[in-house]
Amino acid sequence: MTRLSIPDMSCGHCRASIEGALAPLPGFRSIRFDQENRTAEVEGQVPEATLLSALDSIGFPAQILR
């Protein structure tokens, strides 16, 4: 699991865009959102750099939470 901080995520449309960008990535299994805290947990075997790049490409810069 990879925990992400996604500060610009503010609505259901944002969540749909984020999931749409990540779901096709090889190794992606699922994503769980916490909209209130603007975080997400990604299940699967997607490299962190790939996740961050995919989100950045759709206008949602993110950070890995450790």
Side-chain angles (χ1 to χ4, degrees), residues 4 7 12 20 24 27 32-33 37 39-40 43-45 47-49 56 60:
L4 300 167
R32 184 175 36 238
F33 295 99
N37 292 309
T39 61
E43 294 287 342
Q45 299 297 321
E48 292 177 352
D56 194 50
F60 287 97

Side-chain angles (χ1 to χ4, degrees), residues 18-34:
I18 290 166
E19 187 165 11
L22 300 183
L25 298 176
F28 176 88
R29 292 187 56 213
S30 66
I31 188 167
R32 184 175 36 238
F33 295 99
D34 179 343

Side-chain angles (χ1 to χ4, degrees), residues 1 5 8 10 17-19 21-23 26 28 30 36 41-44 46-47 54-55 57 60 63 65:
M1 176 192 61
S5 170
D8 296 334
S10 61
S17 295
I18 290 166
E19 187 165 11
L22 300 183
F28 176 88
S30 66
E36 182 178 330
E41 294 179 347
V42 178
E43 294 287 342
V46 181
L55 291 174
S57 73
F60 287 97
Q63 293 180 315
L65 296 174

